[in-house]
Amino acid sequence: MKAKLGLILLFLACFYIKAQKITPKDNIDDSLEAYLNVLQNTSSQDSLYQKTVDHYLQKAKKEDNYEHLFQAYIYKAIIEKNVAKMHLYADSLFILNKQYPNIANKIKALQIKSTVYYVEKDYPKMLEYELSALKLIEKEKSPYEYYKSIYSIGQVYFYMQQYADAKDNFKDARNYFSAFKDYNNQRGYFNSIRYEALCEYYLQNYQNSYKLIQKALNEVTILKHYANFERGYLELVLGMNLYQQKQYNKSLEQLKAALPTIQKNEDYANESVIYYYTGLNYTAVNNISESIEYFKKVDLLFQQRDYINFEVLPAYNYLVEYFKDVNNTEQQLYYTNRQLLASVHLQKSYKSLSSTLHKKLDIEGLQAEKERLENNLKQKNNRLFVILCIAIPGFLISLYFWIYNNKKKKEYHKQYKASEQQREIDRQTRINLKTVEDDNKKKTIPTKVTKSRSVIVNKDIEQMILNELQKFEEQHLYLESNLDILKLAKRWNTNRTYLSNCINKHKGKTFLDYINSLRINYFMEMIEKNKHWKSYKIKAIAEELGFSGGRNFSDVFIKQMGFPPSYYIQQKEKEK
């Protein structure tokens, strides 16, 4: 709204000053001059402004005062939000001027009508009324009004994207305004040089544009309290030029410096331009994630303000291509739809623009792409449904086994801790037994007959077997594959029964359990002492230990320890 009002006020050369505090209507002088004074010294954003305009119009009608009624219609046309009503008030100016002919008022009526067509974005009609107003202005008698109209015509050409014609108008206006130091002429000068620089930019005369902006920035302090506001707009154009010069970081600095001024002025058209060029800069330096965020802001402004222009429309191309590259069909379709909506909006809003511009919109192509993406997404969703039908049962099964395995792991850990404690106890026991055996060897042991399971074993034979078993353990002979009790009995010149009973009596185990426990103890020792064993496969370990296979080894280990050998290896690796 402020951007629109700024243009209107420039057409009329009515630059609003800072809003002043005013008293309620009941306390002001109830005269047409008093109402006019309030309007001239109050911001259009003030809550009192609209009511004052209405009272001013009613009183001017009641008193049948032509001059004030004419002025009241101008104010109503400016503040009205409904375009049809704006036309009614603008047409009322022509009716009044027919009743009371006045060249100056006719010029104002033509300019107000032009402003209404600007709001409608009917630029050919806007140009028609501006040119009609210009013909009535006598350059020698009213040079300021003349060049103000020249500037306004330049803006119409600018909106129609006829930049060469627009540039000439802005240059003429700039040269005139530069000769005067009053506020209105200074404002006219800086507006003219800024738009002239923009025309040079869009004509790709970047050096000319850059020089004009630098000149304006060097002189902007003469605007005093308005300098910071104007500087923000100049920094925007400078940022655009720096982008074309590939000075991306400097361009980003200028654009970000300009943003607060643009936002404070609620100028969402130029705010959108800042977001677009910021996105371009980040794309150029390969910061794609940041660039996408700024292109999204262009779309967000379109959603919030229902505003988009041709310059920033390519932001959607970047968004669509990005989500295509990351294989996000949903977002690709979403921004294709947004681009289609923006293109249709531009087509409706800028009916009067050239067919060349409308061809750029490619609405049919976007519609076809939208349908293609929708079909792809539908097929993808169908596939996803089938996958889910398969995946959900699979997930539930996996969840069951995960819970089961976690439970088993807890049990394994408990068994592991218990086995480690028992191993430590056994180690201490072996040390103690060794001491006792050494003491016993010093004493004379009388020969006696031992009775076990009704089998009488001579003490000398029993001692021989125990000696062989000690060598058997110390030399790790239990690692021999295909080992059985009969083979050992023959090797030690005894019989199977004697050997079995001796193992039962002194080892407290059957022959098979005895052999297996030795092998498992050896395995656990090697895991602790030899780092290479941790990298062996279970099958290779089983072969080293003399088992018939990996499965046989694992079964034996689980039966004895309560957890698999692989778990033992993992725990030792963690402890390390």
Side-chain angles (χ1 to χ4, degrees):
M1 185 64 185
K2 284 188 178 181
K4 181 181 81 172
L5 286 174
L7 178 63
I8 294 170
L9 295 176
L10 187 59
F11 287 159
L12 305 175
C14 298
F15 296 93
Y16 286 134
I17 64 172
K18 186 177 180 181
Q20 302 171 349
K21 289 185 177 180
I22 57 176
T23 57
K25 173 193 170 296
D26 294 339
N27 294 331
I28 65 171
D29 178 17
D30 189 21
S31 67
L32 290 170
E33 287 74 16
Y35 281 117
L36 183 59
N37 182 60
V38 170
L39 292 172
Q40 289 174 340
N41 292 278
T42 306
S43 167
S44 62
Q45 304 303 310
D46 195 292
S47 59
L48 186 63
Y49 191 87
Q50 175 73 52
K51 292 181 180 179
T52 305
V53 171
D54 292 337
H55 287 305
Y56 182 43
L57 178 59
Q58 291 169 12
K59 191 166 184 64
K61 284 182 178 180
K62 185 177 180 181
E63 295 185 12
D64 197 21
N65 187 310
Y66 163 72
E67 287 298 333
H68 282 287
L69 185 58
F70 191 89
Q71 192 64 42
Y73 280 134
I74 289 176
Y75 280 112
K76 286 296 288 184
I78 289 174
I79 66 171
E80 183 57 59
K81 295 180 179 179
N82 183 286
V83 176
K85 290 183 178 179
M86 288 182 76
H87 274 296
L88 287 175
Y89 289 121
D91 292 339
S92 296
L93 296 173
F94 289 105
I95 294 170
L96 273 179
N97 192 252
K98 275 189 177 181
Q99 294 175 355
Y100 306 96
N102 181 300
I103 293 297
N105 283 347
K106 186 174 182 180
I107 292 169
K108 289 180 182 179
L110 290 166
Q111 289 174 333
I112 289 295
K113 192 70 173 176
S114 171
T115 299
V116 179
Y117 281 118
Y118 162 75
V119 175
E120 282 192 305
K121 297 183 176 64
D122 189 342
Y123 300 126
K125 277 288 185 180
M126 183 182 176
L127 180 62
E128 177 187 330
Y129 278 89
E130 279 296 337
L131 290 172
S132 297
L134 182 65
K135 289 178 182 177
L136 297 176
I137 301 172
E138 295 184 44
K139 182 178 179 181
E140 291 75 16
K141 290 183 178 181
S142 304
Y144 175 78
E145 291 295 330
Y146 179 84
Y147 283 102
K148 186 187 70 169
S149 185
I150 288 291
Y151 170 86
S152 297
I153 292 169
Q155 283 202 312
V156 181
Y157 283 132
F158 183 85
Y159 297 134
M160 296 175 71
Q161 302 192 13
Q162 297 179 22
Y163 298 119
D165 293 330
K167 181 188 73 170
D168 293 340
N169 279 60
F170 290 132
K171 185 176 181 179
D172 289 344
R174 169 172 66 89
N175 289 333
Y176 170 78
F177 292 134
S178 66
F180 305 93
K181 301 303 178 185
D182 61 281
Y183 180 75
N184 284 345
N185 278 288
Q186 286 176 358
R187 284 296 311 280
Y189 168 75
F190 282 101
N191 282 323
S192 297
I193 195 171
R194 175 160 54 88
Y195 272 101
E196 184 183 350
L198 278 169
C199 290
E200 293 284 17
Y201 176 86
Y202 292 123
L203 290 168
Q204 299 182 10
N205 300 326
Y206 303 123
Q207 285 300 320
N208 292 345
S209 178
Y210 183 77
K211 289 177 182 177
L212 286 168
I213 287 300
Q214 289 289 13
K215 175 179 172 60
L217 282 168
N218 291 335
E219 299 171 344
V220 76
T221 53
I222 65 174
L223 284 177
K224 297 180 181 178
H225 67 276
Y226 200 79
N228 287 335
F229 178 85
E230 185 63 37
R231 186 181 288 108
Y233 280 87
L234 293 172
E235 286 171 336
L236 166 56
V237 185
L238 179 59
M240 294 163 63
N241 273 281
L242 288 169
Y243 167 74
Q244 296 296 345
Q245 295 175 29
K246 299 184 179 180
Q247 298 185 45
Y248 305 120
N249 290 326
K250 287 185 177 180
S251 175
L252 284 169
E253 289 177 11
Q254 293 299 321
L255 293 170
K256 290 178 180 179
L259 184 59
T261 297
I262 305 299
Q263 288 178 323
K264 186 176 180 181
N265 197 39
E266 296 182 18
D267 184 355
Y268 41 85
N270 279 311
E271 185 180 351
S272 183
V273 171
I274 288 177
Y275 293 148
Y276 176 64
Y277 276 91
T278 302
L280 291 179
N281 277 295
Y282 278 123
T283 300
V285 298
N286 207 31
N287 190 341
I288 304 303
S289 59
E290 278 295 312
S291 70
I292 291 302
E293 290 305 311
Y294 278 94
F295 291 138
K296 284 181 178 179
K297 289 184 179 184
V298 172
D299 176 63
L300 186 60
L301 270 181
F302 175 44
Q303 293 181 47
Q304 294 173 342
R305 304 292 188 174
D306 198 31
Y307 178 84
I308 194 80
N309 62 46
F310 283 93
E311 185 169 13
V312 303
L313 187 64
Y316 289 103
N317 292 335
Y318 287 95
L319 289 167
V320 170
E321 285 301 313
Y322 171 76
F323 287 110
K324 180 181 179 181
D325 290 341
V326 299
N327 200 28
N328 189 332
T329 308
E330 291 85 353
Q331 287 295 297
Q332 185 185 354
L333 174 59
Y334 173 78
Y335 283 108
T336 299
N337 273 321
R338 296 297 303 161
Q339 185 175 13
L340 182 59
L341 285 172
S343 299
V344 170
H345 177 85
L346 285 170
Q347 187 181 59
K348 291 179 179 178
S349 300
Y350 296 88
K351 293 178 182 177
S352 61
L353 290 183
S354 66
S355 58
T356 304
L357 282 174
H358 283 288
K359 285 179 182 177
K360 292 181 180 179
L361 298 176
D362 190 25
I363 291 174
E364 290 183 3
L366 287 171
Q367 186 66 44
E369 178 66 6
K370 172 191 172 183
E371 291 173 2
R372 185 187 71 80
L373 288 170
E374 285 175 340
N375 288 333
N376 286 352
L377 193 58
K378 186 177 179 181
Q379 292 175 6
K380 182 179 178 181
N381 288 337
N382 289 339
R383 288 195 297 270
L384 182 62
F385 177 76
V386 173
I387 291 169
L388 285 174
C389 289
I390 298 170
I392 290 175
F395 169 77
L396 293 174
I397 293 170
S398 299
L399 181 62
Y400 168 77
F401 280 109
W402 180 80
I403 294 171
Y404 174 79
N405 287 333
N406 272 355
K407 186 177 179 181
K408 292 295 289 183
K409 283 181 180 179
K410 288 179 181 178
E411 292 175 4
Y412 289 164
H413 190 71
K414 184 178 178 181
Q415 294 287 347
Y416 170 78
K417 288 294 183 184
S419 70
E420 289 295 287
Q421 292 174 1
Q422 186 60 48
R423 284 187 71 205
E424 180 61 24
I425 293 170
D426 292 345
R427 189 178 69 83
Q428 292 296 333
T429 302
R430 285 195 298 272
I431 293 172
N432 295 335
L433 285 174
K434 183 78 165 59
T435 304
V436 172
E437 286 175 2
D438 291 341
D439 291 342
N440 288 337
K441 285 180 181 179
K442 297 175 182 178
K443 300 175 182 179
T444 303
I445 304 174
T447 303
K448 63 179 181 178
V449 177
T450 303
K451 185 176 182 181
S452 176
R453 293 187 182 179
S454 302
V455 178
I456 299 173
V457 181
N458 182 279
K459 184 61 181 176
D460 291 336
I461 296 173
E462 182 178 6
Q463 189 61 49
M464 180 274 293
I465 292 173
L466 288 174
N467 291 339
E468 290 296 336
L469 286 174
Q470 184 177 352
K471 288 190 290 182
F472 181 74
E473 292 178 11
E474 290 173 352
Q475 297 174 15
H476 309 304
L477 301 176
Y478 49 81
L479 299 177
E480 181 183 334
S481 59
N482 300 319
L483 190 64
D484 60 45
I485 192 167
L486 186 60
K487 186 183 291 186
L488 278 183
K490 288 181 179 180
R491 189 178 298 172
W492 295 341
N493 296 317
T494 185
N495 63 58
R496 174 177 178 167
T497 304
Y498 282 0
L499 179 57
S500 176
N501 276 275
C502 192
I503 290 172
N504 288 339
K505 174 182 175 182
H506 292 279
K507 304 299 179 181
K509 299 174 183 176
T510 65
F511 173 79
L512 186 59
D513 287 342
Y514 169 63
I515 296 298
N516 287 339
S517 65
L518 288 173
R519 289 172 173 175
I520 288 172
N521 286 334
Y522 180 78
F523 160 72
M524 291 192 289
E525 287 176 10
M526 295 307 293
I527 290 297
E528 290 181 350
K529 294 178 182 179
N530 191 329
K531 63 180 181 180
H532 299 296
W533 273 64
K534 292 188 180 118
S535 61
Y536 289 171
K537 301 285 186 183
I538 295 298
K539 183 179 179 182
I541 291 173
E543 290 175 359
E544 290 286 337
L545 298 175
F547 286 102
S548 59
R551 170 56 65 185
N552 178 234
F553 166 52
S554 293
D555 290 344
V556 169
F557 192 94
I558 292 170
K559 180 181 178 182
Q560 181 171 320
M561 305 303 297
F563 51 88
S566 57
Y567 182 81
Y568 182 80
I569 296 171
Q570 289 173 8
Q571 290 302 115
K572 288 300 175 183
E573 191 64 32
K574 286 180 183 179
E575 290 174 5
K576 178 184 175 182

